[in-house]
């Protein structure tokens, strides 16, 4: 079994693959309302090019792939892509991160190709606020998708970003929704990426203190590591877990196990920095399989030690989160 270590001795086994920078929503903290310069179709990686990258990455020790976007279910051929990644013997799990709008429509196909789990973004449980945050999204459509996924037995996690003055009255509603449905929910700290600038976010400690005024949060044993960066808690008498992802207040860089590939084929070693490798150009120039592996392996090895979101400078990536994939 191959284990790829970077130069800081971190085991890198997780690839987040963005398949489009387009989205059918315009979440206020992620994308501007209009004027986004979307990648032209011929500049996007083709499904075959994505597979080439995943195959090489798998040879190097990547075992888990998350398909993301923009909204990944907008991408033509995404089901075929998932199916082909699933058939790679070295890939153990393929997951999807989606806003849930098109999920009901693709559910049967996703089940058929054996998708291992879905993260669904859900930033409000109130129709008007959901519509406001997503600039036009329909809450009921997403709730229906969540219900169908759950009935079909697909592993779901809900992801929520709490913004001061926008959806902060719903913190406990989310916790009760999670308790009632039995679905894990993760509160994600807002990162200074894309459109986040005008918003004030909560730190994990602020959220935890707020919730703990109402109920006990009992730490779960599984924490940072292969299970991802979320620190999980249980509430009494419930099947669900409440997770907190704290890239700002409790950086988990020392345990980071991931690389990212954008829909334009740019290998990003870290969410924060602009550096990376233009894999698409290399592939289109005809790079061989072994050479591609070497380039990706060098990229992994040279992963930066940590992000520095607290100090933005000219080395900070200016891509929107919808262009990176979260
Ligand atoms: N469109 C899909 C969705 O919303 O799930 C996948 C892509 S979206 C970029 C992935 C995740 O990034 C979402 O859960 C979203 O809330 C999160 N996100 C976007 N901008 C963010 C920011 N500035 N800080 C933290 N999370 C962010
Ligand atoms: Fe689209 Fe996801 Fe960004 Fe919302 S968070 S605008 S759904 S990419």
């Amino acid at each position: 079994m191959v284990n790829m270590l970077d130069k800081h001795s971190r085991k890198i086994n997780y690839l987040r693959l963005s398949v489009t920078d387009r989205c059918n929503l315009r979440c206020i903290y992620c994308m501007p309302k209009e004027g986004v310069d979307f990648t032209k179709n011929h500049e996007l990686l083709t499904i075959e090019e994505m597979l080439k990258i995943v195959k090489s990455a798998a040879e190097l020790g990547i075992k888990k792939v998350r398909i993301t976007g923009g909204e990944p279910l907008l991408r033509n051929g995404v089901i075929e892509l998932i199916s082909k990644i699933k058939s790679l013997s070295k890939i153990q799990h393929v997951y999807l991160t989606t806003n849930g709008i098109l999920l009901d429509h693709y559910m049967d196909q996703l089940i058929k190709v054996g998708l291992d789990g879905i993260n669904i973004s859900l930033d409000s449980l109130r129709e008007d606020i959901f519509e406001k945050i997503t600039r036009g999204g329909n809450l009921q459509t997403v709730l229906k998708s969540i219900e169908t996924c759950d009935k079909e037995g697909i592993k779901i996690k809900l992801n929520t970003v709490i913004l001061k003055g926008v959806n902060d009255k719903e913190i406990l509603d989310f916790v009760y929704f999670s308790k009632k449905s039995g679905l894990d929910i993760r509160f994600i700290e807002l990162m200074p990426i894309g459109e986040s600038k005008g918003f004030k976010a909560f730190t994990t400690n602020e959220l935890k203190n707020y919730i703990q005024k109402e109920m006990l949060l009992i730490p779960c044993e599984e924490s940072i590591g292969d299970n991802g960066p979320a620190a999980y808690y249980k509430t009494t008498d419930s099947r669900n877990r409440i997770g907190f992802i704290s890239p700002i207040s409790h950086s988990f860089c020392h345990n980071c196990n991931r690389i990212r590939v954008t829909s334009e084929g740019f290998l990003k070693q870290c969410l924060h920095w602009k550096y990376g490798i233009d894999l698409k150009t290399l592939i289109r120039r005809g790079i061989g399989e072994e050479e591609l592996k070497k380039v990706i392996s060098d990229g992994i090895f040279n992963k930066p030690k940590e992000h520095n979101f607290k100090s933005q400078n000219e080395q900070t990536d200016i891509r929107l989160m919808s262009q990176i994939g979260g």
Side-chain angles (χ1 to χ4, degrees):
M1 189 189 291
V2 184
N3 276 327
M4 176 82 204
L5 298 184
D6 73 359
K7 65 178 167 198
H8 304 289
S9 303
R10 295 170 296 196
K11 188 163 88 180
I12 310 301
N13 53 18
Y14 175 23
L15 166 65
R16 294 179 69 98
L17 178 64
S18 174
V19 295
T20 180
D21 57 351
R22 290 171 189 268
C23 190
N24 44 4
L25 299 179
R26 290 285 182 278
C27 299
I28 50 178
Y29 59 92
C30 178
M31 286 178 91
K33 189 174 175 188
E34 45 203 21
V36 185
D37 203 5
F38 292 113
T39 306
K40 303 203 174 39
N41 279 348
H42 71 274
E43 285 165 4
L44 291 173
L45 286 178
T46 64
I47 300 295
E48 286 67 34
E49 287 166 342
M50 288 186 219
L51 269 170
K52 256 186 201 161
I53 293 172
V54 177
K55 267 187 202 155
S56 294
E59 295 292 326
L60 294 167
I62 296 294
K63 295 180 176 55
K64 166 173 153 183
V65 177
R66 177 171 300 281
I67 306 297
T68 177
E71 175 45 44
L73 293 176
L74 288 178
R75 176 67 199 253
N76 278 340
V78 68
I79 303 291
E80 177 199 348
L81 175 71
I82 294 172
S83 164
K84 290 194 169 149
I85 297 177
K86 279 293 295 180
S87 71
L88 300 175
S89 61
K90 293 193 165 120
I91 297 293
Q92 293 168 358
H93 299 287
V94 183
Y95 298 104
L96 178 76
T97 293
T98 172
N99 60 32
I101 296 286
L102 295 172
L103 194 49
D104 217 36
H105 177 76
Y106 283 106
M107 193 81 68
D108 290 348
Q109 296 176 66
L110 290 168
I111 293 171
K112 203 164 153 206
V113 297
L115 186 75
D116 295 291
I118 305 183
N119 286 359
I120 303 178
S121 305
L122 181 68
D123 291 331
S124 179
L125 294 164
R126 302 184 191 175
E127 289 190 20
D128 54 339
I129 298 178
F130 185 87
E131 199 182 318
K132 180 177 158 194
I133 295 178
T134 58
R135 295 202 185 91
N138 183 292
L139 174 66
Q140 293 311 324
T141 309
V142 180
L143 292 179
K144 183 161 178 276
S145 291
I146 293 173
E147 204 184 311
T148 317
C149 273
D150 200 27
K151 268 195 203 132
E152 296 289 348
I154 301 179
K155 226 165 88 186
I156 319 172
K157 284 179 193 152
L158 303 175
N159 284 339
T160 301
V161 176
I162 299 288
L163 306 168
K164 284 189 182 169
V166 180
N167 56 353
D168 53 356
K169 301 240 171 354
E170 297 184 67
I171 299 167
L172 289 174
D173 296 351
F174 278 117
V175 173
Y176 287 119
F177 182 84
S178 163
K179 273 167 85 77
K180 194 168 166 212
S181 62
L183 301 174
D184 288 353
I185 189 156
R186 291 111 54 88
F187 292 102
I188 304 176
E189 281 179 348
L190 184 72
M191 289 175 265
I193 295 181
E195 289 293 289
S196 66
K197 270 195 198 77
F199 297 99
K200 290 212 169 65
F202 284 84
T203 63
T204 286
N205 277 350
E206 285 174 326
L207 286 171
K208 267 165 51 183
N209 289 341
Y210 185 87
I211 296 168
Q212 276 174 320
K213 282 186 192 148
E214 199 65 26
M215 69 190 79
L216 198 59
L217 288 174
I218 307 151
C220 296
E221 271 179 28
E222 70 274 18
S223 180
I224 292 172
D226 273 3
N227 293 319
Y232 283 106
Y233 295 79
K234 286 240 166 229
T235 57
T236 43
D237 303 328
S238 64
R239 300 163 289 151
N240 67 312
R241 296 178 306 168
I242 312 293
F244 298 91
I245 302 185
S246 326
I248 307 297
S249 63
H250 298 82
S251 152
F252 37 78
C253 298
H254 58 289
N255 265 318
C256 186
N257 63 347
R258 62 196 61 193
I259 51 168
R260 295 175 168 82
V261 173
T262 70
S263 52
E264 304 172 281
F266 187 75
L267 171 70
K268 263 183 80 59
Q269 298 136 313
C270 170
L271 195 53
H272 175 208
W273 306 105
K274 68 177 182 187
Y275 302 109
I277 300 166
D278 178 3
L279 298 179
K280 180 184 67 193
T281 300
L282 296 173
I283 292 174
R284 292 190 182 173
R285 282 187 190 149
I287 192 172
E289 222 176 291
E290 282 309 309
E291 271 177 292
L292 181 62
K293 255 168 66 180
K294 172 81 175 71
V295 168
I296 298 176
S297 143
D298 287 348
I300 291 177
F301 185 74
N302 289 313
K303 222 174 116 60
K305 186 165 178 238
E306 57 203 359
H307 72 66
N308 189 6
F309 280 130
K310 285 183 180 153
S311 127
Q312 308 277 309
N313 59 33
E314 68 285 354
Q315 288 155 14
T316 301
D317 199 348
I318 53 161
R319 288 179 176 86
L320 298 173
M321 199 62 133
S322 55
Q323 294 167 322
I324 302 173

